């Protein structure tokens, strides 16, 4: 199922980040797409899945909030995203 693939790739994403590296949810989605995960059945699934793994990482002291960054995807219209730092 899509969610299981997403979680497995999320583990790969966070384990491949260097200590103190900064990232945002958009970075996570772009990583997933480059890894070949198919589009979810609903576009909001990206945000929901990202929010879930990010919340788990925050709760388990894997990452911490580190300000905000601007979206690079043109369709996001320069939206501000929370930025995180790998601990």
């Amino acid at each position: 199922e899509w969610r299981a693939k997403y979680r497995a790739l999320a583990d790969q994403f966070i384990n491949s980040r260097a200590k103190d590296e900064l990232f945002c949810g958009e970075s996570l989605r772009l990583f997933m797409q480059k890894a070949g995960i198919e589009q979810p059945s609903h576009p909001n699934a990206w945000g929901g899945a990202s929010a879930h793994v990010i919340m788990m990482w925050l709760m388990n002291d894997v990452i911490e909030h580190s300000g905000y960054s601007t979206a690079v995807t043109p369709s996001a219209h320069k939206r501000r995203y929370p930025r995180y730092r790998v601990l």
Side-chain angles (χ1 to χ4, degrees):
E1 99 180 7
W2 187 86
R3 255 182 271 151
K5 289 179 190 175
Y6 187 96
R7 287 185 185 138
L9 284 171
D11 288 341
Q12 286 180 26
F13 173 84
I14 200 65
N15 291 329
S16 67
R17 304 297 102 179
K19 182 178 171 56
D20 294 326
E21 184 173 341
L22 300 174
F23 73 95
C24 64
E26 185 181 36
S27 307
L28 185 54
R29 180 183 55 80
L30 293 171
F31 175 88
M32 298 291 175
Q33 291 176 319
K34 284 182 183 177
I37 193 168
E38 64 274 5
Q39 294 292 321
S41 58
H42 193 282
N44 290 353
W46 287 116
S50 294
H52 175 77
V53 296
I54 287 171
M55 184 61 64
M56 296 305 296
W57 292 338
L58 286 166
M59 289 172 48
N60 290 305
D61 296 322
V62 175
I63 62 173
E64 69 180 6
H65 186 262
S66 181
Y68 293 89
S69 61
T70 304
V72 296
T73 305
S75 62
H77 306 290
K78 299 288 185 187
R79 184 176 297 127
R80 283 179 30 150
Y81 285 110
R83 185 177 56 216
Y84 306 97
R85 184 174 69 86
V86 179
L87 299 176

